[in-house]
Amino acid sequence: MKSIIFIGGVHGAGKNFLLERIKSDIPFIRLTASDVLKWQEISDNPDKKLVNSITNTQDILVKNLKKTVKEGQNYLLDGHFTLLNKLGEIEKVPMDTFMQIAPKALIVKTSAPDIILQRLKNRDNQIWDLDKISEMQKQELGYARLIAIKLNVPFYQLEDNQENILEEILQKEFINA
């Protein structure tokens, strides 16, 4: 599936916002891991961010991606490098998931933890622990870097208001590759 750029980040980091703001002449199809997974159908409580079995969920993601991704198309896949398991603990998405997706680049969207906290409150009407947001974002970044090294693909970190850099990444990875 080498036509995928994977864009990760903790819940509320602004992945969706970033992708909605991009103005690009480069043709690509935007996918979210939640949509590909059919999260509303497989989750006991779709509004909660807790995952019963991260391994099983990621197996479904890969299986459904293989059915969705078409040769000759470019894709941006919005997902996560870490998730909260059913106990609310931070857990890494299995490395095998990323090996099977085989993205051509990895991006982590970050934001200040207090801004993420406010976004989650406004968007999901949930109050998160600020320390948990900070730790999850730290683990998300570190694990994404490790995956990029293991897969030998470019790694990028984007903060708020860096839509222009995402355009440059798309140009580099989809057109100039």
Side-chain angles (χ1 to χ4, degrees):
M1 292 188 255
K2 272 289 190 187
S3 57
I4 296 174
I5 293 177
F6 190 92
I7 301 178
V10 300
H11 298 288
K15 298 179 302 292
N16 189 43
F17 186 83
L18 173 73
L19 293 171
E20 287 177 355
R21 300 293 176 285
I22 186 169
K23 306 290 188 250
S24 180
D25 295 330
I26 300 165
F28 65 87
I29 297 168
R30 181 172 171 230
L31 301 172
T32 67
S34 294
D35 289 344
V36 173
L37 277 166
K38 300 181 179 165
W39 181 246
Q40 297 288 36
E41 296 173 19
I42 66 168
S43 176
D44 296 338
N45 189 345
D47 295 333
K48 296 283 184 192
K49 305 301 183 194
L50 305 179
V51 180
N52 285 332
S53 171
I54 291 174
T55 301
N56 290 345
T57 303
Q58 298 310 300
D59 288 346
I60 295 168
L61 173 67
V62 170
K63 182 179 104 184
N64 290 351
L65 270 176
K66 288 179 180 176
K67 294 178 192 174
T68 304
V69 172
K70 307 292 183 236
E71 190 70 32
Q73 297 276 348
N74 296 318
Y75 295 89
L76 292 178
L77 177 59
D78 163 351
H80 303 279
F81 295 98
T82 63
L83 292 164
L84 295 176
N85 65 24
K86 63 184 174 186
L87 301 175
E89 302 162 332
I90 301 166
E91 189 174 317
K92 294 173 182 168
V93 170
M95 178 71 73
D96 186 60
T97 299
F98 297 99
M99 293 174 76
Q100 290 186 64
I101 292 172
K104 59 188 309 156
L106 301 178
I107 299 171
V108 175
K109 171 64 182 74
T110 60
S111 192
D114 59 323
I115 292 173
I116 293 171
L117 179 73
Q118 191 59 48
R119 286 177 185 156
L120 291 170
K121 181 180 178 192
N122 294 341
R123 184 186 79 188
D124 301 334
N125 200 26
Q126 293 182 15
I127 304 297
W128 283 51
D129 179 72
L130 191 59
D131 290 336
K132 175 141 319 193
I133 292 170
S134 296
E135 182 58 30
M136 193 167 185
Q137 184 162 250
K138 178 181 170 187
Q139 287 192 35
E140 187 96 354
L141 270 169
Y143 189 46
R145 285 187 179 106
L146 178 69
I147 294 167
I149 291 166
K150 175 100 172 151
L151 298 178
N152 194 29
V153 297
F155 169 82
Y156 305 93
Q157 178 182 350
L158 296 179
E159 297 177 11
D160 290 338
N161 302 312
Q162 291 191 317
E163 295 87 354
N164 59 327
I165 295 174
L166 181 54
E167 174 66 27
E168 292 170 18
I169 294 168
L170 295 179
Q171 183 74 32
K172 179 179 179 184
E173 300 301 333
F174 284 146
I175 305 299
N176 300 331

